[in-house]
Amino acid sequence: MTRRLAVIRRTITAALQASRALGYRTLSGIVASDLQAGRVIQCSEFLRRLGLDEDLIRSLRSWFGRYAAKAWRTGTMTEPRKVWALIDDRWTHVAVYQPNSFALPAAVTSYKRMAGLGLTYELTA
């Protein structure tokens, strides 16, 4: 019993000393490594690839992400994969998609503010 308590104490001490980034990366699991490797992207990265400037991306990304998630749910009847990401110095739970996902162009056409920009883009295979 004493040995068990010592292990519990060491575990709690280690957890308290771990960085916040490590904790969120652990919560995200394999999705975080997919994001880092480029196998999945956030909506803000998709907007960056469209050639938008950072101020416009910052103003569009939240609503654009909602439209992309809605398109994903409609097309697959499942929730999109999510990852914890550090955005503007805050940890936020955001959806991620494959770079050639159907949800991203669907969000461009359904989000009126994006459709008004007249963007042209090509999905990678």
Side-chain angles (χ1 to χ4, degrees):
M1 182 75 152
T2 323
R3 203 173 185 169
R4 189 180 211 183
L5 289 175
V7 170
I8 291 171
R9 269 193 213 103
R10 279 197 312 270
T11 304
I12 291 171
T13 302
L16 290 173
Q17 293 175 356
S19 69
R20 184 170 282 202
L22 177 62
Y24 280 112
R25 182 154 173 105
T26 304
L27 287 173
S28 297
I30 193 76
V31 182
S33 63
D34 286 346
L35 181 64
Q36 189 172 1
R39 291 186 287 272
V40 293
I41 60 171
Q42 298 172 349
C43 289
S44 56
E45 176 59 28
F46 178 75
L47 295 173
R48 208 170 278 113
R49 290 180 182 184
L50 291 178
L52 302 178
D53 64 44
E54 288 300 316
D55 290 334
L56 188 56
I57 290 171
R58 197 171 292 113
S59 72
L60 293 175
R61 68 182 173 206
S62 179
W63 277 102
F64 181 79
R66 293 174 193 178
Y67 277 88
K70 183 178 179 181
W72 180 267
R73 285 186 207 105
T74 303
T76 64
M77 303 303 235
T78 62
E79 287 294 315
R81 294 169 68 187
K82 291 194 172 189
V83 66
W84 284 99
L86 187 62
I87 299 173
D88 296 336
D89 299 327
R90 298 183 84 184
W91 288 98
T92 309
H93 209 203
V94 295
V96 291
Y97 306 93
Q98 292 180 340
N100 60 352
S101 173
F102 67 91
L104 298 171
V108 170
T109 57
S110 64
Y111 184 24
K112 291 180 184 174
R113 198 164 162 209
M114 288 290 298
L117 295 175
L119 300 170
T120 59
Y121 54 89
E122 187 175 315
L123 292 177
T124 57

